[in-house]
Amino acid sequence: MTNERLRAAITSAGLNLQTFSEQVGVDPKTVERWITKDRSPHRTHRMNAAVILGKSDGFLWPATESDRISRSATEAELVRLYPSRGAIDADMWLSLVDDAKESIDLLAYAGSFLHDAIPGFVDRLSARSRSGVRVRLLFGDPASEAVALRGREEGIDELMAARCKLTWKYLVPAIGPARMQARRHGTTLYASIFRFDDVLLANPHAYGASASHSPVLHINRIPGGRLFSHYMDSYDRVWATAQPV
């Protein structure tokens, strides 16, 4: 068995065995054994490698997902379970935006509550983007089949597409001047994702129910945990297939 995921991740990062091993702090022959013999590194080296390559250690070494320390770290990532999205007040959303220093990533179909129920939310996003925070916005393509299907499933039919159109109407004027990145997606969503640096709110979807009536997982990234990276990997897959605005 060889670890082709690790080999590909090293290449994709623009590294070779020598430069990668120097950054991780091990001998190049050790890295070669990780690849050619699918050896699992010591946890410290595993975490360092994951950070350097921008991949979760569970992706690079799937066999480690079930170890005791990884399970414990994953459980610790779950800070709180909100019974519904409405249980999170507007002040908390604004605080998450204002406190973000590096990244804000939003993924939903319409996310109408962001501009309808949180005064100044789009303006706050624009301000954070102008201050240097990377802001990525992923909302539904009103013309996509995925949006139409979600509308039928929720029993609101074409109103889902109308909500997506309204969201883009609010966002488009702010995207360019604030240098925010935005893409329209036509993906089947199993959860809306709202990420603010190391804090992530995952709002799972249930068939036939509005996302606003579904619970929200409050997740805080912990090295070695799986929840944060699990949802962000999903976000990045949608981002890669979406159309730039």
Side-chain angles (χ1 to χ4, degrees):
M1 293 291 291
T2 59
N3 191 333
E4 295 304 320
R5 285 187 180 183
L6 178 58
R7 189 198 305 274
I10 292 171
T11 302
S12 296
L15 303 172
N16 55 40
L17 292 186
Q18 181 66 41
T19 54
F20 176 66
S21 63
E22 289 174 356
Q23 292 186 32
V24 176
V26 297
D27 188 271
K29 291 184 178 180
T30 299
V31 175
E32 187 174 353
R33 286 193 291 272
W34 293 350
I35 296 173
T36 60
K37 298 185 178 181
D38 198 18
R39 298 277 179 84
S40 294
H42 185 277
R43 178 177 169 78
T44 300
H45 294 147
R46 206 167 70 225
M47 295 299 100
N48 288 343
V51 171
I52 292 166
L53 299 177
K55 304 288 185 181
S56 69
D57 65 309
F59 171 82
L60 297 171
W61 293 280
T64 65
E65 288 193 343
S66 60
D67 70 52
R68 179 181 57 81
I69 296 177
S70 293
R71 289 200 307 271
S72 178
T74 299
E75 291 170 1
E77 283 189 303
L78 182 59
V79 176
R80 181 175 177 180
L81 174 66
Y82 293 94
S84 69
R85 202 174 61 203
I88 307 174
D89 62 35
D91 287 343
M92 178 174 171
W93 287 103
L94 292 176
S95 292
L96 289 170
V97 172
D98 292 344
D99 292 343
K101 301 295 188 296
E102 297 178 358
S103 299
I104 296 175
D105 299 311
L106 309 180
L107 168 63
Y109 278 128
S112 304
F113 74 99
L114 295 172
H115 53 76
D116 283 347
I118 307 175
F121 186 84
V122 175
D123 291 338
R124 298 285 187 98
L125 276 183
S126 299
R128 299 312 295 146
S129 180
R130 287 193 296 270
S131 71
V133 175
R134 185 196 67 178
V135 177
R136 295 190 298 175
L137 308 176
L138 266 175
F139 292 102
D141 180 349
S144 68
E145 175 55 29
V147 168
L149 177 61
R150 184 62 183 174
R152 293 194 296 270
E153 290 173 348
E154 287 192 16
I156 61 173
D157 298 319
E158 68 278 359
L159 288 179
M160 178 60 75
R163 289 179 180 178
C164 292
K165 289 179 181 178
L166 183 60
T167 292
W168 286 116
K169 184 176 180 62
Y170 276 106
L171 291 175
V172 167
I175 291 170
R179 294 176 295 180
M180 293 188 285
Q181 303 175 56
R183 295 186 180 183
R184 291 186 177 94
H185 74 87
T187 310
T188 299
L189 287 189
Y190 300 97
S192 298
I193 297 171
F194 310 95
R195 179 269 185 100
F196 308 87
D197 287 348
D198 289 337
V199 175
L200 185 148
L201 302 178
N203 181 195
H205 296 181
Y207 181 82
S210 168
S212 62
H213 295 158
S214 294
V216 176
L217 308 178
H218 182 159
I219 297 164
N220 200 92
R221 177 163 52 185
I222 291 177
R226 309 295 186 200
L227 289 179
F228 186 95
S229 60
H230 174 74
Y231 281 107
M232 282 310 302
D233 286 346
S234 176
Y235 184 100
D236 289 335
R237 285 192 289 270
V238 178
W239 182 263
T241 62
Q243 296 300 311
V245 174

